[in-house]
Structure formats: structure tokens, C-alpha cells
Amino acid sequence: MDEALSPRLRSLDRALCQLADTNDPMDLSQLDGFVAGLLVCPDLIMPSEWLPLIWGGDDEPVFDGIADAQQLIAMVMEHYNAVSTALHRKRGRYSPIFDIDVRHDEVLWELWIDGFNTAMQLRAESWDAIALSGGAPSDALLGLTCLIMIDRGEGDLPAEATDALSADAPDLIPLWIETLAAWRLEHSGYTKGPSVPKTKTGRNEPCPCGSGKKYKKCCGLN
């Protein structure tokens, strides 16, 4: 995967890998699926809620210093904004980040779908609005849900259908995500795409790193 990444994404990938020495962060493909799920979710979810999941959930992240924490948060938000921009331009601009098994030249979509599912679980009930809407958005959500079940080993499709869906997943996922992004744009009252969480946090607001402290007493110290 690394050879195909832009310098921005390579930097983000390295930062996540370095954090793995002390935490249990998402890898880049999981993060990309997670961000896509946040952006097409019917509900807007703020960074203070979802950022901690990127570097391991309940445990407070261990950074070498405040500057490193701020830099990683900035890179994550930059990727969030980049995916948002791709999803709300013309069709065909969104390109998921998948790992590649170079031994078999196989696209590993499973990590991406795991990240997407993590985002779905933050507002599990809200997705009913899409499921009940019918048409292409409902079909797209159903397709992604089937991939989640396959990844978890809980799918009930016949083996032949499972194999076919798995083989087509890398091509279907971007189409389905763009379909859900269009649904959200139409039904959420946005005119220029979903509201993107701000990257500048007020000094008295909760720190977006998820520490539970005020920004001025955490990543805003310097």
C-alpha cells in the first residue's frame, strides 16, 4: 500500500505505526474506513467522541509530547477533510485506502470495512433512516452490511455469493460510499457537504485528543 500513498498519507501512516509502540491505534486502512463511515453517517459526530477510538479507545494515548499529539490530530483532521471533499465533488473522486497482499496481488478490503463498522456502531440506530429509505442508498447500506458480516464470519450468503461479493468489494465500496454521501447531502440540510468539525478548539472546550481535560490544560498548553 505504501508505494501508492501520497506524502501526506505516508506521514499519517508512519505516525499511526509509531503510536502502535505504546497504544493500539487503527492502521491507515481502518482509519480511512472509519472516516468514511463518520462522513456518511446520518448523524454528525464530533471529534471529541471519535478521535479516542483511533488510538485505542478508553486508554489515554501515550505521545512523546504535546507537539506530537497536536501533529497527529492535525493529520487525522486533514484526512477527514480530504475524504469529505472527495465525497462531495463529482462521482468517482472517492478512492478508499486498501491494504494489498503482494504475495497474491489481493486487495484486503477487510480492514477498511472494520473501520467503517466502528463508525457505524457510534450511532447504530441512525442508519435505520437509510435502510428504510429504499432505492440505491438502502441497497448500498445493505451491501456494506453484508461485507461487515462476511468480515466477521457471520454472513449467511451461499459460499458462491460470498466469494463473488468479496471479489467485487474493492470496486463496490467506493460506489456505495458515494451513494450514501449523496443521501446524507440530500437529507441533512447541507448545501456544500457535511459540516466538517473545526480543527481549532476553544481553550475551554474538551481537548479533541480524548483525554477528558480542557484544551488549554492539555494539547493547548503550548
Side-chain angles (χ1 to χ4, degrees):
M1 176 179 66
D2 188 68
E3 293 181 358
L5 296 178
S6 67
R8 172 181 67 82
L9 290 175
R10 283 199 294 271
S11 296
L12 177 55
D13 187 34
R14 285 194 297 269
L16 292 170
C17 289
Q18 291 170 0
L19 193 60
D21 293 337
T22 52
N23 295 84
D24 185 24
M26 295 180 179
D27 75 1
L28 186 60
S29 184
Q30 284 176 301
L31 173 61
D32 189 62
F34 182 61
V35 165
L38 294 169
L39 285 165
V40 302
C41 178
D43 289 344
L44 178 64
I45 306 174
M46 298 304 292
S48 57
E49 181 175 354
W50 55 259
L51 273 171
L53 297 180
I54 294 174
W55 27 83
D58 295 334
D59 294 334
E60 187 171 339
V62 178
F63 296 100
D64 291 337
I66 292 175
D68 290 332
Q70 291 176 325
Q71 183 179 27
L72 180 53
I73 291 171
M75 286 191 289
V76 169
M77 297 309 301
E78 184 179 15
H79 186 58
Y80 181 103
N81 291 329
V83 175
S84 176
T85 299
L87 285 175
H88 293 91
R89 291 182 177 179
K90 63 182 181 180
R91 288 289 186 116
R93 294 299 298 268
Y94 173 62
S95 180
I97 299 173
F98 296 128
D99 282 333
I100 305 294
D101 182 351
V102 295
R103 297 169 302 174
H104 305 98
D105 194 26
E106 181 181 1
V107 178
L108 305 176
W109 52 267
E110 290 86 354
L111 285 171
W112 186 98
I113 204 69
D114 180 67
F116 181 83
N117 184 43
T118 300
M120 285 190 69
Q121 298 312 307
L122 289 174
R123 295 290 187 278
E125 298 81 4
S126 72
W127 297 86
D128 289 344
I130 300 176
L132 297 174
S133 66
S138 179
D139 291 342
L141 181 59
L142 177 60
L144 289 163
T145 302
C146 285
L147 291 180
I148 291 170
M149 301 302 288
I150 291 172
D151 177 48
R152 297 174 61 180
E154 300 173 358
D156 55 4
L157 294 173
E160 185 176 345
T162 296
D163 291 343
L165 182 56
S166 297
D168 292 340
D171 295 322
L172 292 171
I173 285 173
L175 299 177
W176 286 340
I177 292 298
E178 288 181 343
T179 298
L180 295 182
W183 184 94
R184 178 175 174 173
L185 181 63
E186 181 180 354
H187 291 83
S188 299
Y190 299 106
T191 58
K192 295 183 180 179
S195 299
V196 178
K198 59 186 179 181
T199 57
K200 184 176 181 180
T201 305
R203 288 178 53 78
N204 290 311
E205 293 180 15
C207 188
C209 76
S211 67
K213 303 175 183 177
K214 289 184 179 181
Y215 179 70
K216 65 183 180 182
K217 293 185 178 181
C218 190
C219 293
L221 281 174
N222 62 343

